[in-house]
């Protein structure tokens, strides 16, 4: 059996990666060690942050998750049984998005939604009960299927799957990462945390209002979170003396007793315990997000930290969306190599920022003050609030940005003045379709269902920008009849005026014209003065231009990458700068695309299946893994029980 990409790990990050790739036309094989069809594990990662929700919405997944999860806007804070000023936690003061909330949906249900979506585009679905035992790399020069992953199945048999890329989405104890020999340096301390989910009764005010924090003198910063299906999660730092007494033999009865103490002075009774875990805290970051040119790390396999800011799964989801379009375009031979290489250069620094935050936050939420902060003379609650406030954009995901790199993130020409910058999230704004005066969200028109760049032509007021509009239209329409080799070579020169739309695969581009005008009588093309660029929408009140910082008398063109990140901004009539941008990303395919020179008989002769001459085996290593899990499993689970009392 073969596939373009094998994803090892059937948690949210692995599933989302597989779903994106399958939508983009890439053949995938998802293998998961645990037989989740026979498990009923409720816990693990739960909080989905605003930017993650935006990305899931563009993948048509957010609505179904919203039908399940608990919506949280803001949070409450208690100290000594009294409500005090709220911490600025991840669900507080969320601005500049229509997803101005966090969603608490336990991992089991998130996985169900993603598995259902993935199975629609790949009926093979997820293969459970697959334990990876070794990886073989062909040393032949041909590219397709040079990797063989060998699995031990739950029925005692073995299976080998050939692929071009192997994605490690198998969590902090990653087998793939270990086999590839990629170091995961970092630290792990002796602090232990508890998470317990269940049906509860309490006299705490507003117990089902959403998210609460309780300052406990014995159990640190206590988490109280309302979950899906009427359940509640209680999280707290386990007192060192309790761990010293029980260690790995700790029981559910001890955990429940500690939860009751943590919530003091409020009462707490569990009618049903659905899941609980004890885990140690640490911060680790892989030396590289890829290895041997065939393996790519995502999620917990690449970075580990505590769940203090609920960033485990969210960071992994960002990894999946960032990687998928780059890898798909690379496999389809659309992109220059630098595009796929940018996955690590963009995502690894973000993980480092989260780890830097977590190194302090995990200590503070455990009720202690880091040595480097003791001189400030502030209590833990104040310091936690300050860290949350200073990292709000990071934790909501809305402020995550990527550096200018000269390829996929290109600085605008000096004369173009806008407020949105390359490498940042494209803002969502309200526009109107011609005719109906019902506003629609811009993001809803830019679904992430293909490897394609969105070219937003902000036309401003056509009575003031008509010359620029005509110039852009002329550039886009420029073509050569029956192009010769000489013509093509001329078009490829850096200063060529040839339209990129004539050089590259048309499906890579989606145009959207945004015109500032009243939604009254008239046809879009007539109002614009030339044939519109793709689909037309109206910015009736000018708010879309204003949010993007584009002067209505000037206009501009904003290019969005397939993941919704701004790639570049150019002047409205500056088609040549658009061409230079795409020339740095795309390969010339429109007229002279060639398939790889590849003889299928090489597969049988290259030793991939036989694991013999011409192959390299990455060690017979067996590592027990929990699979990608986000919150909780970012650190090693010491105990993980589910209680299924009727």
């Amino acid at each position: 059996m073969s596939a373009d990409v094998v994803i090892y790990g059937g948690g949210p990050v692995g599933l989302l990666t597989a779903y994106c790739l399958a939508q983009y036309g890439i053949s995938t094989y998802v293998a998961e060690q645990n037989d989740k069809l026979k498990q009923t594990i409720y816990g693990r990662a739960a909080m989905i942050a605003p930017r993650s929700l935006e990305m899931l919405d563009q993948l048509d997944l957010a609505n179904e998750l919203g039908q399940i999860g608990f919506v949280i806007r803001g949070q409450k804070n208690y100290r000594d049984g009294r409500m005090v000023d709220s911490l600025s936690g991840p669900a507080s003061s969320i601005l500049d998005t229509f997803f101005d909330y966090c969603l608490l949906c336990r991992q089991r249900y998130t996985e169900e939604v993603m598995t259902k979506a993935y199975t629609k585009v790949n009926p093979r679905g997820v293969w459970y009960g697959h334990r990876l035992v070794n990886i073989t790399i062909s040393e032949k020069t041909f590219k397709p299927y040079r990797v063989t992953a060998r699995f031990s199945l739950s029925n005692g048999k073995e299976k080998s799957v050939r692929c071009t890329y192997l994605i490690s989405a198998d969590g902090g104890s990653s087998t793939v990462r270990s086999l590839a020999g990629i170091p995961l340096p970092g630290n792990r301390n002796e602090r232990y945390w508890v998470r317990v989910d269940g049906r509860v009764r309490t006299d705490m005010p507003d117990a089902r209002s959403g998210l609460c924090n309780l300052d406990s003198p014995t159990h640190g910063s206590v988490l109280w979170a309302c979950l899906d299906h009427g359940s509640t999660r209680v999280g707290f730092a386990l007192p060192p003396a309790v761990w010293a007494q029980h260690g790995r033999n700790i029981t559910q009865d001890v955990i429940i007793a500690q939860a009751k103490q943590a919530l003091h002075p409020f009462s707490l009774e569990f009618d049903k315990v659905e899941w609980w875990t004890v885990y140690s805290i640490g911060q680790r970051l892989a030396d590289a997000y890829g290895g041997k040119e065939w393996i790519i790390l995502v999620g917990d396999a690449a970075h580990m930290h505590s769940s203090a800011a609920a960033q485990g799964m969210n960071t992994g989801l960002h990894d999946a969306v960032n990687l998928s379009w780059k890898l798909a375009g690379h496999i389809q031979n659309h992109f220059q190599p630098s595009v796929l290489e940018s996955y690590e250069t963009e995502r690894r620094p973000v993980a480092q920022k989260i780890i830097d935050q977590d190194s302090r936050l995990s200590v503070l939420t455990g009720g202690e003050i880091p040595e480097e902060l003791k001189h400030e003379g502030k209590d833990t609650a104040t310091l936690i609030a300050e860290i949350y406030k200073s990292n709000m954009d990071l934790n909501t995901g809305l402020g995550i940005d990527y550096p200018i790199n000269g390829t996929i993130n290109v600085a605008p020409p000096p004369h173009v003045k806008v407020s949105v910058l390359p490498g940042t999230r494209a803002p969502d704004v309200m526009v109107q379709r011609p005719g109906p005066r019902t506003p629609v969200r811009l993001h809803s028109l830019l679904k992430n269902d293909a490897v394609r760049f969105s070219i937003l032509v902000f036309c401003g007021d056509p009575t003031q920008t008509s010359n620029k509009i005509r110039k852009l239209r002329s550039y886009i329409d420029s073509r050569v009849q029956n192009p010769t080799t000489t013509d093509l070579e001329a078009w490829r020169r850096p200063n060529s005026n040839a339209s990129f739309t004539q050089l590259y695969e048309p499906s890579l581009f989606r145009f959207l014209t945004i015109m500032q005008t009243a939604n009254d009588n008239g046809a879009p093309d007539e109002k614009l003065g030339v044939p519109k660029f793709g689909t037309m929408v109206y910015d009736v009140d000018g708010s879309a231009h204003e949010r993007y910082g584009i002067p209505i008398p000037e206009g501009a063109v904003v290019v969005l990458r397939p993941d919704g990140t701004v790639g570049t901004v150019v002047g409205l009539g500056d088609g040549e700068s658009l061409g230079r941008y795409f020339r740095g990303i795309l390969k010339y395919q429109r007229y002279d695309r060639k398939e790889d020179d590849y003889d299928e008989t090489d597969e049988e002769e290259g030793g991939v299946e036989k694991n013999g001459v011409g192959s390299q085996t990455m060690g017979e290593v067996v590592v027990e893994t929990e699979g990608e899990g986000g919150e909780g499993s970012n650190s090693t689970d010491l105990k993980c029980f589910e209680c299924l009392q009727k």
Side-chain angles (χ1 to χ4, degrees):
M1 177 173 283
S2 62
D4 292 327
V5 179
V6 168
I7 298 102
Y8 188 50
V13 175
L15 289 169
L16 187 63
T17 305
Y19 172 61
C20 290
L21 289 172
Q23 281 208 122
Y24 301 155
I26 302 299
S27 62
T28 55
Y29 187 97
V30 180
E32 163 61 42
Q33 174 177 314
N34 299 313
D35 191 349
K36 295 191 176 186
L37 296 176
K38 297 180 180 179
Q39 294 179 329
T40 315
I41 294 181
Y42 288 85
R44 297 189 181 275
M47 183 174 287
I48 307 177
R51 178 55 183 156
S52 298
L53 288 168
E54 284 189 344
M55 294 189 301
L56 292 171
D57 178 62
Q58 291 188 279
L59 291 162
D60 286 329
L61 297 173
N63 180 61
E64 190 166 354
L65 289 168
Q67 299 296 321
I68 300 170
F70 195 105
V71 171
I72 292 180
R73 289 184 172 93
Q75 68 181 60
K76 293 179 170 57
N77 191 47
Y78 291 97
R79 182 179 298 166
D80 300 324
R82 298 187 303 273
M83 188 179 295
V84 296
D85 290 340
S86 176
L87 291 173
S88 295
S92 301
S93 305
I94 299 170
L95 304 174
D96 194 34
T97 177
F98 295 102
F99 290 89
D100 59 343
Y101 59 89
C102 293
L103 186 71
L104 283 176
C105 183
R106 284 173 290 178
Q107 183 168 322
R108 170 193 174 187
Y109 302 106
T110 300
E111 289 178 0
E112 287 180 355
V113 170
M114 291 182 176
T115 301
K116 178 182 175 182
Y118 173 60
T119 305
K120 285 183 178 179
V121 289
N122 182 3
R124 275 197 311 212
V126 179
W127 296 85
Y128 298 104
H130 280 45
R131 180 172 59 84
L132 182 67
V133 293
N134 85 328
I135 304 165
T136 302
I137 312 300
S138 171
E139 294 180 351
K140 285 279 189 174
T141 57
F142 64 84
K143 293 182 180 179
Y145 312 133
R146 60 192 176 131
V147 181
T148 299
R150 183 161 61 87
F151 300 98
S152 174
L153 309 185
S154 55
N155 61 9
K157 298 181 179 180
E158 289 192 347
K159 178 190 286 187
S160 293
V161 183
R162 295 171 296 176
C163 61
T164 305
Y165 284 92
L166 175 62
I167 293 181
S168 171
D170 52 334
S173 301
S174 170
T175 303
V176 179
R177 189 188 62 237
S178 297
L179 291 172
I182 299 176
L184 187 72
N187 65 79
R188 184 173 299 282
N189 57 46
E190 293 304 315
R191 297 182 182 88
Y192 294 91
W193 279 77
V194 173
R195 291 288 186 266
V196 54
D197 296 353
R199 303 297 180 93
V200 303
R201 288 177 284 119
T202 180
D203 59 1
M204 184 177 71
D206 302 318
R208 291 302 294 175
S209 64
L211 192 65
C212 299
N213 178 80
L214 297 90
D215 295 331
S216 168
T218 56
H219 293 75
S221 181
V222 179
L223 168 72
W224 178 276
C226 297
L227 302 174
D228 51 79
H229 297 84
S231 295
T232 300
R233 173 166 296 179
V234 182
F236 52 91
L238 191 67
V242 177
W243 177 254
Q245 180 182 355
H246 298 280
R248 294 176 179 271
N249 296 318
I250 199 166
T251 65
Q252 178 175 303
D253 289 342
V254 173
I255 293 299
I256 298 306
Q258 291 297 312
K260 292 180 178 181
Q261 292 182 30
L263 209 66
H264 181 79
F266 302 119
S267 65
L268 176 63
E269 297 293 334
F270 279 84
D271 293 331
K272 180 180 180 181
V273 176
E274 295 170 326
W275 170 84
W276 64 271
T277 184
V278 180
Y279 60 97
S280 59
I281 293 173
Q283 296 83 29
R284 296 180 182 273
L285 181 62
D287 278 355
Y289 275 24
K292 309 292 184 183
E293 298 182 354
W294 50 265
I295 180 175
I296 302 174
L297 309 183
V298 294
D300 297 347
H303 41 77
M304 297 173 61
H305 40 85
S306 84
S307 59
Q311 290 304 299
M313 180 175 66
N314 286 287
T315 306
L317 297 179
H318 281 253
D319 290 347
V321 173
N322 186 285
L323 169 65
S324 296
W325 70 272
K326 298 173 180 178
L327 181 58
H330 183 82
I331 291 172
Q332 293 165 341
N333 202 33
H334 291 312
F335 294 158
Q336 303 287 353
S338 58
V339 176
L340 182 57
E341 293 166 1
S342 71
Y343 165 65
E344 178 174 336
T345 59
E346 288 193 337
R347 292 302 304 157
R348 194 172 182 276
V350 174
Q352 184 65 66
K353 289 180 182 179
I354 291 170
I355 286 173
D356 292 343
Q357 171 191 223
D358 187 68
S359 63
R360 293 184 173 186
L361 201 56
S362 61
V363 176
L364 289 165
T365 52
E368 303 176 38
I369 297 178
E371 287 294 329
E372 66 271 20
L373 298 180
K374 288 182 177 179
H375 71 279
E376 297 188 16
K378 300 173 182 177
D379 61 20
T380 56
T382 300
L383 291 169
I384 289 172
E386 290 178 353
I387 290 176
Y388 275 138
K389 288 178 181 178
S390 63
N391 291 280
M392 180 65 67
D393 288 344
L394 177 67
N395 294 330
T396 62
L398 298 170
I400 292 175
D401 57 5
Y402 304 124
I404 300 294
N405 56 20
T407 53
I408 56 175
N409 306 323
V410 174
H415 66 278
V416 177
K417 306 298 182 183
V418 293
S419 60
V420 294
L421 299 176
T424 64
R425 153 191 171 267
D428 199 4
V429 293
M430 301 303 292
V431 293
Q432 294 182 19
R433 295 185 177 93
R437 289 175 174 168
T438 304
V440 296
R441 291 174 37 241
L442 178 62
H443 282 192
S444 70
L445 304 175
L446 304 174
K447 292 295 184 180
N448 184 6
D449 55 6
V451 179
R452 58 183 172 185
F453 293 82
S454 296
I455 302 168
L456 311 184
V457 182
F458 284 84
C459 289
D461 178 0
T463 63
Q464 303 179 70
T465 60
S466 59
N467 289 337
K468 296 178 180 179
I469 293 171
R470 286 195 295 270
K471 183 179 178 182
L472 180 63
R473 182 78 268 173
S474 176
Y475 168 82
I476 296 297
D477 291 342
S478 63
R479 65 184 65 236
V480 172
Q481 299 296 326
N482 301 318
T484 66
T485 301
T486 303
D487 294 328
L488 289 173
E489 290 302 320
W491 282 28
R492 292 175 180 174
R493 293 170 187 160
N495 296 323
S496 169
N497 292 326
S499 170
F500 60 89
T501 60
Q502 305 304 312
L503 281 175
Y504 308 112
E505 193 72 37
S507 63
L508 293 171
F509 310 108
R510 167 175 52 196
F511 284 85
L512 185 72
T513 303
I514 304 173
M515 180 166 57
Q516 200 283 305
T517 185
N519 193 356
D520 51 17
N521 298 349
D525 288 358
E526 187 175 343
K527 286 188 173 187
L528 189 63
V530 299
K532 61 186 178 296
F533 305 91
T535 300
M536 171 70 79
V537 293
Y538 296 148
D539 181 16
V540 175
D541 59 1
S543 59
H545 284 73
E546 180 181 4
R547 176 61 189 88
Y548 277 74
I550 297 173
I552 289 176
E554 298 293 330
V557 179
V558 179
V559 179
L560 306 186
R561 303 172 356 179
D563 59 358
T565 300
V566 177
T568 193
V569 184
V570 303
L572 177 55
D574 190 4
E576 290 77 11
S577 290
L578 283 177
R580 284 192 293 272
Y581 174 74
F582 289 115
R583 194 174 290 119
I585 296 173
L586 301 174
K587 292 183 178 180
Y588 300 97
Q589 300 173 338
R590 188 75 183 272
Y591 296 105
D592 61 345
R593 181 178 179 181
K594 296 180 180 179
E595 299 297 329
D596 291 333
D597 294 329
Y598 169 59
D599 183 350
E600 290 187 1
T601 59
D602 287 347
E603 285 191 22
E604 304 302 325
E605 300 172 358
V608 178
E609 290 287 328
K610 296 179 182 180
N611 194 22
V613 178
S615 302
Q616 176 186 2
T617 300
M618 305 301 291
E620 297 276 349
V621 179
V622 177
V623 181
E624 296 294 337
T625 66
E626 292 292 337
E628 191 279 335
E631 182 181 345
S633 70
N634 294 342
S635 306
T636 303
D637 276 338
L638 302 173
K639 287 276 189 176
C640 181
F641 294 101
E642 55 179 329
C643 298
L644 305 175
Q645 300 96 333
K646 298 292 179 85

